[in-house]
Amino acid sequence: MVESLARMYITGIWLEAILYGHHGASRKTLLFSSVVQFSLATAHVIISLLELMTAFATSASAADNYFADPGGNELFVGGFFVYIVNTFAQELLLIWRLYVIWGRDFKICIIPFILWMLHCIIASIAVSGFMLATATPLTRNVHSYGLAGWGLETGVNFLASGGIAYRLWHAGRRTAVLTGRLNYKASLFIIIECGALITTCTAVMFALYAANKPEGLVGVGAATQIATTSPLLIIARVGFSMSKRKTVTTATTFSTLPNPLQMNVNGASYTYKDYPLADISAGGSGLRDTKETKIVIEA
């Protein structure tokens, strides 16, 4: 146990570095949110590196004590604040996508938004508890508020991701009447995968921390990178899929319509010689020149 905690932190930070390298840019409309989250993810990687350098400056046993008693540790507290702020941004971005995909109906976002605000308050209180020099991961206030914060985070991600998935599933069923198949399958799968990824990560940390094991905090670095990747992947994939579907549907609609019919009609024209009406009725030669009527239909 003495050296295992330090080794776990090394593994966790190594995994964080791998996940950090897998971030990618999304569309222009997401540029601002991407810059904010990428900046936070980069800051956390730098802080994690500084923590490793400080922890292993003397020995492995000192490193274990460094991570076991983080109270008053400015690097640890700073890294944890970066983690929760990045999580707040991830959840708010997901709620925004829920708002957009439901036709900008704010009512559907009320519960997730309330949970998000509670999460912001409670998680901030939990991290602030580490500012005391005597604080440990199992200190009562830190522990209880930390568990509550992770529970609220799970609730926000579950409701927002579930709301997006349901909206796409419902839209897919409606369009299936015309296309004969369920649309938006790829978007549904990516939402389920990303939602399950971040929820599983949070649930594992929650379970370890609830069992009074300080190892529950080891995955904070990886969770920071997952919090950055998951919503951007969902939003970029859903937006790309819906745009592609709209383009394909429009092109298909126009390609299946028949070409417009063009009709050139030359009406019959009659030319009468100028005879008195009485002469015609008496058997006069009312000569008439007639042009043939033609109807031409071009497809």
Side-chain angles (χ1 to χ4, degrees):
M1 171 67 184
V2 174
E3 296 183 359
S4 63
L5 187 59
R7 291 176 181 175
M8 287 181 182
Y9 269 96
I10 292 178
T11 304
I13 294 173
W14 173 76
L15 181 59
E16 175 186 4
I18 293 177
L19 293 173
Y20 174 76
H22 282 77
H23 295 326
S26 57
R27 295 176 178 273
K28 291 182 179 180
T29 54
L30 301 173
L31 179 61
F32 176 75
S33 59
S34 299
V35 169
V36 171
Q37 290 204 274
F38 289 164
S39 300
L40 292 172
T42 303
H44 199 277
V45 169
I46 295 173
I47 292 173
S48 298
L49 177 61
L50 294 175
E51 281 190 287
L52 286 181
M53 294 174 62
T54 305
F56 288 90
T58 55
S59 64
S61 59
D64 183 76
N65 294 329
Y66 177 90
F67 291 112
D69 298 316
N73 188 330
E74 294 180 356
L75 286 176
F76 182 89
V77 175
F80 228 111
F81 265 117
V82 171
Y83 160 68
I84 62 172
V85 171
N86 195 30
T87 303
F88 298 157
Q90 170 258 317
E91 293 169 352
L92 188 60
L93 192 60
L94 200 59
I95 293 173
W96 171 79
R97 185 62 221 180
L98 178 68
Y99 166 74
V100 171
I101 205 169
W102 276 86
R104 302 187 181 275
D105 184 5
F106 184 73
K107 291 184 291 184
I108 197 68
C109 304
I110 292 178
I111 295 179
F113 189 73
I114 292 175
L115 293 179
W116 176 79
M117 290 191 296
L118 291 175
H119 179 217
C120 292
I121 296 172
I122 292 176
S124 299
I125 294 174
V127 177
S128 299
F130 283 110
M131 298 177 68
L132 300 176
T134 57
T136 68
L138 301 181
T139 301
R140 183 175 180 180
N141 290 338
V142 173
H143 190 255
S144 58
Y145 281 110
L147 291 176
W150 272 331
L152 290 170
E153 178 185 354
T154 303
V156 172
N157 280 281
F158 179 79
L159 289 177
S161 299
I164 295 173
Y166 175 77
R167 181 67 168 177
L168 290 175
W169 174 80
H170 184 67
R173 286 195 60 187
R174 293 181 63 183
T175 57
V177 177
L178 301 176
T179 62
R181 59 187 178 86
L182 181 64
N183 297 305
Y184 310 120
K185 274 188 178 181
S187 301
L188 282 172
F189 288 150
I190 199 66
I191 288 172
I192 293 173
E193 290 171 0
C194 291
L197 180 63
I198 192 168
T199 302
T200 300
C201 181
T202 305
V204 170
M205 294 190 297
F206 178 88
L208 290 173
Y209 202 46
N212 295 328
K213 294 183 180 296
E215 290 85 350
L217 302 180
V218 173
V220 167
T224 303
Q225 307 306 320
I226 292 175
T228 303
T229 303
S230 295
L232 297 180
L233 186 59
I234 290 175
I235 292 170
R237 186 66 183 88
V238 170
F240 174 75
S241 178
M242 294 186 71
S243 299
K244 183 178 179 182
R245 177 67 60 185
K246 183 178 179 181
T247 302
V248 171
T249 303
T250 304
T252 304
T253 301
F254 280 106
S255 64
T256 55
L257 285 177
N259 293 328
L261 296 177
Q262 297 180 358
M263 301 180 65
N264 297 327
V265 179
N266 296 323
S269 59
Y270 303 98
T271 304
Y272 292 92
K273 291 184 177 181
D274 192 11
Y275 288 104
L277 192 59
D279 293 340
I280 297 175
S281 59
S285 58
L287 299 180
R288 182 174 63 181
D289 296 332
T290 304
K291 292 182 180 179
E292 183 181 1
T293 301
K294 294 191 296 183
I295 300 178
V296 180
I297 299 178
E298 299 176 357

